[in-house]
Amino acid sequence: KAFNGCNSLTEITIPDTIQQIDKQAFAFCGLTEVAIPAATTKISSDAFKGCVNLARISVNGNNSVYHSVGNCIIETKTKTLVAGCKASRIPLGIKTIGDEAFVNVKDIDTLIIPESVTSIGSNSFYESHIDTLVIPKSVTKIGAYSLTYSINNIYYAGSEEEFAGISIGTNNLTSIDVYYDYDEPVRYIGDA
């Protein structure tokens, strides 16, 4: 929690020697962009929690654990989306939306989850203020507190029966409209 709550902190240069970004290190800061250095090999899932102004995320191309596509931090080996921001576009190839990946992210108009995703972690979209979330039929598990009241609409690619077959954790789908059989063509950016 080194810089937790520093609203006036809009810019920071993370030194090349930083190997780890711990729990809530920059939570609720005013950061507008963040660049992860090559040496950083551990990032806590809530390191950038509540950074509502964050619009650009990048990872140094020489980082052996993480990379970035579509303003997302991605754990390369597992293809897990670790952190996103209000300008994120989830790339095709992601397998898992990690725990707290979009927690407290504000002002997302539409977020499309690609067909490669099979699992959405706990608290992934908690208090995220998303107008429209598109979920593919490939998702088989949704963690607790991920699909909460802060999402206005969910569009699911499958039927209502298929949606009912998803393993869904507690405290989800409270006051959210879910629309089934969504088959609009979607465009993905890059590959994870």
Side-chain angles (χ1 to χ4, degrees):
K1 298 184 179 181
F3 298 98
N4 187 315
C6 294
N7 293 332
S8 59
L9 180 63
T10 59
E11 293 180 22
I12 192 162
T13 301
I14 301 173
D16 292 337
T17 56
I18 297 296
Q19 296 176 350
Q20 190 167 316
I21 301 174
D22 281 332
K23 294 187 77 51
Q24 297 187 25
F26 298 100
F28 304 102
C29 286
L31 292 174
T32 57
E33 78 177 70
V34 65
I36 305 299
T40 304
T41 56
K42 185 172 185 322
I43 301 172
S44 175
S45 64
D46 61 356
F48 301 100
K49 174 182 181 175
C51 291
V52 298
N53 298 321
L54 190 58
R56 181 163 158 65
I57 298 174
S58 62
V59 176
N60 184 295
N62 293 321
N63 190 301
S64 63
V65 176
Y66 301 102
H67 69 280
S68 61
V69 177
N71 285 312
C72 300
I73 298 173
I74 300 162
E75 185 178 43
T76 304
K77 184 177 180 179
T78 63
K79 295 193 178 208
T80 298
L81 192 153
V82 175
C85 66
K86 67 181 181 179
S88 289
R89 298 293 174 256
I90 304 172
L92 189 60
I94 293 295
K95 299 291 184 199
T96 303
I97 308 291
D99 293 347
E100 302 182 280
F102 288 90
V103 70
N104 293 104
V105 175
K106 309 292 185 206
D107 302 325
I108 298 175
D109 181 40
T110 300
L111 190 61
I112 299 169
I113 299 174
E115 294 170 354
S116 55
V117 172
T118 59
S119 177
I120 297 172
S122 297
N123 298 301
S124 290
F125 303 108
Y126 184 73
E127 294 189 1
S128 295
H129 299 274
I130 299 171
D131 184 57
T132 300
L133 181 66
V134 179
I135 300 176
K137 290 196 303 186
S138 59
V139 171
T140 59
K141 182 180 178 188
I142 299 172
Y145 293 95
S146 284
L147 308 178
T148 61
Y149 61 90
S150 60
I151 301 171
N152 292 333
N153 302 292
I154 293 176
Y155 288 87
Y156 177 65
S159 67
E160 187 171 357
E161 293 77 25
E162 288 171 308
F163 191 80
I166 297 172
S167 172
I168 300 178
T170 59
N171 295 310
N172 279 303
L173 303 171
T174 306
S175 304
I176 301 174
D177 292 323
V178 179
Y179 302 96
Y180 304 100
D181 299 312
Y182 181 79
D183 65 355
E184 293 291 317
V186 294
R187 292 190 320 232
Y188 306 106
I189 68 141
D191 193 358

